Structures are given as C-alpha cells and as structure tokens.
Amino acid sequence: MTFPRRVLGDLAIALGVLAAGVAIYLHLMTLSLMSPDRLASKAVQLSANPAVQTALADSLSNAIFPYTASQGIAITQVQLQSMVKAALQQPAVAIQFAQALHNADQRLLGVASGPITIGGPALTQEVAYQLHNYSPALASVIASKNLQITIPGADLPNLGFLVKLADHYQKTFEMGAIVLFILGLAVHPSRPSALKRIGASLIGMSAIGFAIFDLLPKYLLPQIQLSWAQVGAAILLATGSGVAYFYLEVVVAGAVIYGVGLAAKRLT
C-alpha cells in the first residue's frame, strides 16, 4: 500500500503546487500590473526615466520628420531627448502624460482602447521653442501644427482576460491548493518529506516572482539594446514596487512549512 499512497500523495501535492503557483502569480499581477492607476501613480518616476524619454524622443522624431526633412535639418537623438525632457517639465504636458498613463492602465485592464498620446498646444509650443535654436523657420512651421506623440504604454498588451481570471478564480485556486495539500499530506506515507516539498515549492515560486519583478528589470532587460526592453524594465520596476511584502510572506510561509517538515523528520 505504500507505493500507491506515495503516488497519490505526490500527485495531489504536485497539483496543489500548480494551483498555488497560479494563485500566487494572479495575486502578484493584481498587486502590480493589474492594480488600477498603477502606471499613472508612477507618472513622475516614469517621465524621468531615460528609457521612457528615449522612446518619447523616437516618437517625436517621427512626428516632426516631415517638417525637418523638408527644411533639410537633422535633429540628433540627444537633442530630441532634451526637447522631450524640457516638455515633460511643463505642467500642462506633465498632466497630459499622467492622463496618458491612466489610459494605458485602462487599456492594460481591458476596459478602454483609446489612443495613448500626449500633444496639443503645450507640447507643440515647447518643441517649437526648442527648435528655434536650430531653425527659426522650422520652429515657425512646427508652432502652427498640432503635434501628437505616443507614449510607451501604447504597446502594452490587453490583460483584461487575466483581470477576469484573477477576480473569479484566484480564491478558487487558493482553496484548491489548500485542499490538495491536505489531501496529499493525509495519504502520503512520508509526511515530513511532503511538508518539505510544499515549503520548498512556495519558496521557489516566490523566488521566481522576485526575479520577474526585480532582477529581470534591474539586471537583464537593461542589457538588451532594444527600446521595448528598456521601457519594459522601467514599467516593471514602477508597477512591481510595493510587492516585496508579498514575497516575504510567501517565503516565510514556505520556510515555516519546510521547517516543520524538517523537524518532524528528525523526530521520526
């Protein structure tokens, strides 16, 4: 009877770990990317991020290219980024940027699909003012236009299905994991080993979450010389802030369960 009980116990625990993993990562997403206005609340931090400024500068370059090309003027990336930085310091543009991030939050949550741009008179006049140093004629042309540039959030995926999944099934996965763990412990012939496996799995899942929201944007994505990677790192760092306590809770829970299993094995 020992072998069937071990197989059933291991299967129940493996399914419990899977259910717990889904519940943990749904909760992590709820705390970070799927938290309403998470991006908008980090507007100041994101507007000061060089990767975000570079992406905005690329968009600005596309917006003014027809006019710079017709004037035969080349504006460097450094100059464009300087214009973007100066524009973001204007209160009217800063407010637009925060609103655009709010729109990005809404798109991320699957409740809106509108454009995610900044522009209008405030941005246009600031860019025209900055361009005056290079060409008064070009500045005059730009001042009469209505510049619109996209922000990096325009490329964010629609995670509405995950929001619905988290709302409807997170508690179900949590309860399912608990039931499966209890069932696995009840039938497993070596409960101390089973407890250690559950504890180690919780610690491991927390480590994976920590890698996604901390190590990945801090150390890996910045090494990828593509704009999406740089902006993605900035967004992950901004949206992932504040979830450290959850990592700690999961690690502590896993360590306690592992410790109980270790102690129980020594007593047997």
Side-chain angles (χ1 to χ4, degrees):
M1 289 293 293
T2 299
F3 179 74
R5 287 176 59 196
R6 184 179 297 277
V7 171
L8 288 174
D10 286 343
L11 178 61
I13 289 172
L15 291 175
V17 168
L18 180 61
V22 173
I24 285 172
Y25 293 123
L26 284 177
H27 190 58
L28 275 174
M29 295 289 284
T30 301
L31 289 175
S32 55
L33 288 174
M34 294 190 298
S35 177
D37 282 332
R38 172 65 77 179
L39 290 176
S41 68
K42 302 294 182 181
V44 174
Q45 177 182 340
L46 287 171
S47 66
N49 186 280
V52 173
Q53 292 178 0
T54 298
L56 290 171
D58 289 340
S59 183
L60 176 60
S61 176
N62 293 332
I64 66 174
F65 177 75
Y67 314 112
T68 56
S70 65
Q71 296 282 329
I73 297 174
I75 308 296
T76 69
Q77 181 68 22
V78 173
Q79 292 165 338
L80 286 166
Q81 192 162 339
S82 177
M83 293 177 196
V84 165
K85 187 175 182 179
L88 289 171
Q89 292 173 353
Q90 298 299 316
V93 179
I95 291 172
Q96 280 193 27
F97 184 74
Q99 181 59 47
L101 287 177
H102 171 74
N103 294 340
D105 279 313
Q106 296 300 299
R107 175 177 291 188
L108 192 65
L109 297 177
V111 297
S113 58
I116 306 177
T117 62
I118 59 176
L123 176 67
T124 302
Q125 295 306 313
E126 179 60 33
V127 171
Y129 174 77
Q130 296 290 328
L131 286 173
H132 193 273
N133 296 326
Y134 308 105
S135 170
L138 175 61
S140 179
V141 170
I142 294 296
S144 65
K145 305 302 178 182
N146 182 26
L147 294 180
Q148 297 285 331
I149 63 176
T150 59
I151 70 165
D155 295 327
L156 287 173
N158 183 326
L159 298 181
F161 72 99
L162 281 180
V163 176
K164 294 178 181 178
L165 184 65
D167 288 342
H168 291 91
Y169 298 112
Q170 183 182 327
K171 292 295 183 183
T172 302
F173 279 111
E174 289 175 1
M175 293 305 300
I178 293 171
V179 170
L180 286 165
F181 286 152
I182 293 174
L183 177 62
L185 289 171
V187 302
H188 204 286
S190 178
R191 290 174 183 167
S193 296
L195 282 168
K196 288 170 61 180
R197 184 177 304 170
I198 293 171
S201 297
L202 291 175
I203 294 172
M205 284 185 284
S206 179
I208 293 173
F210 177 73
I212 293 173
F213 287 97
D214 195 275
L215 300 182
L216 182 67
K218 279 185 179 177
Y219 303 106
L220 180 58
L221 287 178
Q223 306 307 315
I224 301 175
Q225 299 305 311
L226 295 171
S227 61
W228 67 263
Q230 307 298 314
V231 173
I235 291 175
L236 277 175
L237 284 174
T239 58
S241 61
V243 301
Y245 285 115
F246 180 66
Y247 298 141
L248 183 60
E249 290 171 359
V250 177
V251 168
V252 169
V256 169
I257 294 172
Y258 188 90
V260 170
L262 194 61
K265 186 172 184 178
R266 289 178 177 175
L267 290 175
T268 56

